[in-house]
Tab-separated table of all heavy atoms in Angstrom:
chain	number	residue	atom	x	y	z
A	19	ARG	N	320.409	-17.764	91.556
A	19	ARG	CA	320.183	-17.208	92.942
A	19	ARG	C	319.632	-18.375	93.799
A	19	ARG	O	318.589	-18.887	93.480
A	19	ARG	CB	319.221	-16.053	92.893
A	19	ARG	CG	319.688	-14.884	92.047
A	19	ARG	CD	318.773	-13.668	92.173
A	19	ARG	NE	319.240	-12.591	91.372
A	19	ARG	CZ	319.054	-11.274	91.667
A	19	ARG	NH1	318.325	-10.970	92.780
A	19	ARG	NH2	319.503	-10.324	90.960
A	20	PRO	N	320.335	-18.694	94.856
A	20	PRO	CA	319.868	-19.868	95.680
A	20	PRO	C	318.639	-19.464	96.539
A	20	PRO	O	318.495	-18.294	96.874
A	20	PRO	CB	321.113	-20.130	96.515
A	20	PRO	CG	321.838	-18.794	96.655
A	20	PRO	CD	321.566	-18.151	95.286
A	21	SER	N	317.845	-20.474	96.820
A	21	SER	CA	316.743	-20.286	97.741
A	21	SER	C	317.247	-20.614	99.184
A	21	SER	O	318.343	-21.136	99.424
A	21	SER	CB	315.620	-21.332	97.424
A	21	SER	OG	315.028	-21.019	96.182
A	22	GLY	N	316.432	-20.302	100.167
A	22	GLY	CA	316.721	-20.602	101.526
A	22	GLY	C	315.789	-19.896	102.454
A	22	GLY	O	315.178	-18.902	102.078
A	23	GLU	N	315.705	-20.398	103.704
A	23	GLU	CA	314.848	-19.761	104.696
A	23	GLU	C	315.594	-19.900	106.078
A	23	GLU	O	316.262	-20.867	106.315
A	23	GLU	CB	313.489	-20.454	104.821
A	23	GLU	CG	312.637	-20.347	103.569
A	23	GLU	CD	311.232	-20.795	103.769
A	23	GLU	OE1	310.638	-20.514	104.822
A	23	GLU	OE2	310.690	-21.526	102.888
A	24	LEU	N	315.374	-18.897	106.849
A	24	LEU	CA	315.863	-18.903	108.210
A	24	LEU	C	314.753	-18.870	109.203
A	24	LEU	O	313.738	-18.196	109.021
A	24	LEU	CB	316.787	-17.703	108.456
A	24	LEU	CG	318.029	-17.532	107.597
A	24	LEU	CD1	318.704	-16.230	107.826
A	24	LEU	CD2	319.008	-18.667	107.901
A	25	PRO	N	314.839	-19.619	110.336
A	25	PRO	CA	313.776	-19.640	111.348
A	25	PRO	C	313.671	-18.351	112.029
A	25	PRO	O	314.614	-17.689	112.307
A	25	PRO	CB	314.166	-20.792	112.266
A	25	PRO	CG	315.693	-20.905	112.066
A	25	PRO	CD	315.958	-20.525	110.664
A	26	ALA	N	312.428	-17.939	112.347
A	26	ALA	CA	312.189	-16.686	113.058
A	26	ALA	C	312.782	-16.710	114.447
A	26	ALA	O	312.794	-15.587	115.099
A	26	ALA	CB	310.659	-16.410	113.180
A	27	SER	N	313.153	-17.832	114.942
A	27	SER	CA	313.767	-17.853	116.319
A	27	SER	C	315.155	-17.336	116.390
A	27	SER	O	315.696	-17.104	117.489
A	27	SER	CB	313.711	-19.301	116.823
A	27	SER	OG	314.432	-20.151	115.988
A	28	LEU	N	315.810	-17.141	115.265
A	28	LEU	CA	317.174	-16.599	115.276
A	28	LEU	C	317.186	-15.218	115.931
A	28	LEU	O	316.314	-14.412	115.675
A	28	LEU	CB	317.764	-16.489	113.870
A	28	LEU	CG	318.110	-17.775	113.138
A	28	LEU	CD1	318.609	-17.472	111.758
A	28	LEU	CD2	319.182	-18.545	113.892
A	29	PRO	N	318.205	-14.928	116.752
A	29	PRO	CA	318.284	-13.643	117.440
A	29	PRO	C	318.151	-12.386	116.512
A	29	PRO	O	317.438	-11.475	116.857
A	29	PRO	CB	319.660	-13.719	118.190
A	29	PRO	CG	319.886	-15.144	118.382
A	29	PRO	CD	319.300	-15.851	117.232
A	30	LEU	N	318.872	-12.405	115.362
A	30	LEU	CA	318.772	-11.293	114.487
A	30	LEU	C	317.317	-11.028	114.009
A	30	LEU	O	316.874	-9.861	114.004
A	30	LEU	CB	319.661	-11.481	113.287
A	30	LEU	CG	319.546	-10.409	112.162
A	30	LEU	CD1	319.832	-9.029	112.642
A	30	LEU	CD2	320.495	-10.728	110.986
A	31	ILE	N	316.639	-12.104	113.722
A	31	ILE	CA	315.259	-11.975	113.192
A	31	ILE	C	314.329	-11.537	114.348
A	31	ILE	O	313.448	-10.662	114.197
A	31	ILE	CB	314.768	-13.262	112.547
A	31	ILE	CG1	315.705	-13.575	111.292
A	31	ILE	CG2	313.348	-13.176	112.036
A	31	ILE	CD1	315.461	-14.959	110.700
A	32	GLN	N	314.503	-12.111	115.502
A	32	GLN	CA	313.820	-11.677	116.760
A	32	GLN	C	313.991	-10.229	117.019
A	32	GLN	O	313.062	-9.455	117.282
A	32	GLN	CB	314.180	-12.496	117.880
A	32	GLN	CG	313.618	-13.931	117.863
A	32	GLN	CD	312.183	-13.950	118.275
A	32	GLN	OE1	311.751	-13.453	119.308
A	32	GLN	NE2	311.370	-14.650	117.398
A	33	ARG	N	315.242	-9.723	116.920
A	33	ARG	CA	315.571	-8.380	117.248
A	33	ARG	C	314.927	-7.463	116.173
A	33	ARG	O	314.397	-6.364	116.516
A	33	ARG	CB	317.065	-8.135	117.284
A	33	ARG	CG	317.745	-8.730	118.474
A	33	ARG	CD	319.289	-8.863	118.307
A	33	ARG	NE	319.868	-9.395	119.548
A	33	ARG	CZ	320.962	-10.127	119.544
A	33	ARG	NH1	321.590	-10.437	118.456
A	33	ARG	NH2	321.424	-10.531	120.739
A	34	THR	N	314.922	-7.870	114.907
A	34	THR	CA	314.330	-7.107	113.809
A	34	THR	C	312.846	-6.954	114.062
A	34	THR	O	312.263	-5.860	113.840
A	34	THR	CB	314.677	-7.738	112.515
A	34	THR	OG1	316.064	-7.828	112.344
A	34	THR	CG2	314.077	-6.879	111.360
A	35	MET	N	312.178	-8.067	114.411
A	35	MET	CA	310.775	-8.023	114.661
A	35	MET	C	310.479	-7.100	115.875
A	35	MET	O	309.489	-6.294	115.873
A	35	MET	CB	310.228	-9.379	114.906
A	35	MET	CG	310.208	-10.268	113.647
A	35	MET	SD	309.226	-11.793	113.778
A	35	MET	CE	310.180	-12.663	115.025
A	36	ALA	N	311.242	-7.321	116.950
A	36	ALA	CA	311.005	-6.474	118.151
A	36	ALA	C	311.140	-5.005	117.894
A	36	ALA	O	310.371	-4.168	118.380
A	36	ALA	CB	311.906	-6.947	119.296
A	37	ALA	N	312.223	-4.653	117.151
A	37	ALA	CA	312.461	-3.269	116.837
A	37	ALA	C	311.377	-2.653	115.984
A	37	ALA	O	310.918	-1.532	116.101
A	37	ALA	CB	313.828	-3.069	116.139
A	38	THR	N	310.893	-3.472	114.979
A	38	THR	CA	309.837	-3.048	114.114
A	38	THR	C	308.561	-2.765	114.860
A	38	THR	O	307.879	-1.765	114.633
A	38	THR	CB	309.613	-4.139	113.020
A	38	THR	OG1	310.740	-4.286	112.261
A	38	THR	CG2	308.450	-3.697	112.098
A	39	LYS	N	308.261	-3.667	115.821
A	39	LYS	CA	307.057	-3.478	116.623
A	39	LYS	C	307.186	-2.236	117.532
A	39	LYS	O	306.201	-1.552	117.755
A	39	LYS	CB	306.786	-4.736	117.483
A	39	LYS	CG	305.442	-4.767	118.165
A	39	LYS	CD	305.162	-6.143	118.741
A	39	LYS	CE	303.741	-6.112	119.374
A	39	LYS	NZ	303.450	-7.476	119.940
A	40	LEU	N	308.374	-2.006	117.991
A	40	LEU	CA	308.643	-0.801	118.837
A	40	LEU	C	308.306	0.494	118.109
A	40	LEU	O	307.851	1.441	118.712
A	40	LEU	CB	310.060	-0.772	119.320
A	40	LEU	CG	310.466	0.338	120.261
A	40	LEU	CD1	309.818	0.142	121.649
A	40	LEU	CD2	311.993	0.387	120.469
A	41	PHE	N	308.439	0.486	116.811
A	41	PHE	CA	308.190	1.641	115.956
A	41	PHE	C	306.699	1.662	115.515
A	41	PHE	O	306.297	2.461	114.624
A	41	PHE	CB	309.102	1.706	114.758
A	41	PHE	CG	310.394	2.383	115.029
A	41	PHE	CD1	311.431	1.652	115.646
A	41	PHE	CD2	310.578	3.714	114.781
A	41	PHE	CE1	312.655	2.302	115.924
A	41	PHE	CE2	311.781	4.355	115.034
A	41	PHE	CZ	312.818	3.613	115.606
A	42	GLY	N	305.896	0.841	116.132
A	42	GLY	CA	304.425	0.864	115.915
A	42	GLY	C	303.966	0.151	114.596
A	42	GLY	O	302.874	0.290	114.187
A	43	GLU	N	304.888	-0.646	114.033
A	43	GLU	CA	304.551	-1.455	112.883
A	43	GLU	C	304.388	-2.922	113.227
A	43	GLU	O	304.966	-3.416	114.152
A	43	GLU	CB	305.642	-1.277	111.782
A	43	GLU	CG	305.891	0.127	111.315
A	43	GLU	CD	304.740	0.697	110.503
A	43	GLU	OE1	303.996	-0.118	109.880
A	43	GLU	OE2	304.574	1.890	110.511
A	44	THR	N	303.544	-3.571	112.431
A	44	THR	CA	303.371	-5.038	112.589
A	44	THR	C	304.416	-5.786	111.734
A	44	THR	O	304.341	-5.640	110.483
A	44	THR	CB	301.918	-5.492	112.164
A	44	THR	OG1	300.955	-4.805	112.931
A	44	THR	CG2	301.834	-6.978	112.334
A	45	PRO	N	305.317	-6.431	112.303
A	45	PRO	CA	306.388	-7.128	111.546
A	45	PRO	C	305.783	-8.271	110.752
A	45	PRO	O	305.003	-9.082	111.263
A	45	PRO	CB	307.345	-7.688	112.572
A	45	PRO	CG	306.597	-7.725	113.849
A	45	PRO	CD	305.522	-6.596	113.807
A	46	GLN	N	306.135	-8.370	109.449
A	46	GLN	CA	305.616	-9.445	108.608
A	46	GLN	C	306.855	-10.062	107.914
A	46	GLN	O	307.498	-9.433	107.082
A	46	GLN	CB	304.624	-8.846	107.560
A	46	GLN	CG	303.363	-8.278	108.175
A	46	GLN	CD	302.407	-7.798	107.142
A	46	GLN	OE1	302.756	-7.672	105.943
A	46	GLN	NE2	301.166	-7.548	107.537
A	47	LEU	N	307.050	-11.311	108.196
A	47	LEU	CA	308.121	-12.034	107.576
A	47	LEU	C	307.698	-12.519	106.193
A	47	LEU	O	306.531	-12.815	105.962
A	47	LEU	CB	308.533	-13.258	108.417
A	47	LEU	CG	309.049	-12.959	109.829
A	47	LEU	CD1	309.494	-14.252	110.543
A	47	LEU	CD2	310.193	-11.971	109.770
A	48	GLY	N	308.686	-12.637	105.292
A	48	GLY	CA	308.364	-13.112	103.935
A	48	GLY	C	309.652	-13.444	103.188
A	48	GLY	O	310.696	-13.497	103.814
A	49	ARG	N	309.526	-13.572	101.884
A	49	ARG	CA	310.655	-13.909	101.056
A	49	ARG	C	310.762	-12.987	99.921
A	49	ARG	O	309.761	-12.334	99.458
A	49	ARG	CB	310.565	-15.375	100.624
A	49	ARG	CG	309.583	-15.581	99.480
A	49	ARG	CD	309.616	-17.056	98.986
A	49	ARG	NE	309.173	-17.933	100.078
A	49	ARG	CZ	310.026	-18.836	100.622
A	49	ARG	NH1	311.295	-18.905	100.229
A	49	ARG	NH2	309.562	-19.623	101.593
A	50	GLY	N	311.979	-12.839	99.311
A	50	GLY	CA	312.183	-12.040	98.166
A	50	GLY	C	313.437	-12.477	97.469
A	50	GLY	O	314.220	-13.304	97.973
A	51	SER	N	313.696	-11.890	96.314
A	51	SER	CA	314.925	-12.149	95.595
A	51	SER	C	315.811	-10.875	95.837
A	51	SER	O	315.686	-9.900	95.105
A	51	SER	CB	314.667	-12.343	94.101
A	51	SER	OG	315.822	-12.612	93.441
C-alpha cells in the first residue's frame, strides 16, 4: 500500500473541511490505511 499526502489547499479538501464545519464539527486532517 503506497504512502502519500495531499495539501489541505486542494479544493476537494477545502470543501470537505468547510462542509464538516458547517455541520458543527471541527475538521481534523490525518492519515490512515
Side-chain angles (χ1 to χ4, degrees):
R19 300 185 179 210
S21 295
E23 298 189 43
L24 297 173
S27 57
L28 287 179
L30 173 59
I31 299 172
Q32 285 285 309
R33 288 165 178 148
T34 303
M35 290 193 295
T38 299
K39 192 170 183 179
L40 184 67
F41 275 82
E43 299 290 334
T44 301
Q46 296 183 347
L47 298 183
R49 75 177 63 247
S51 182

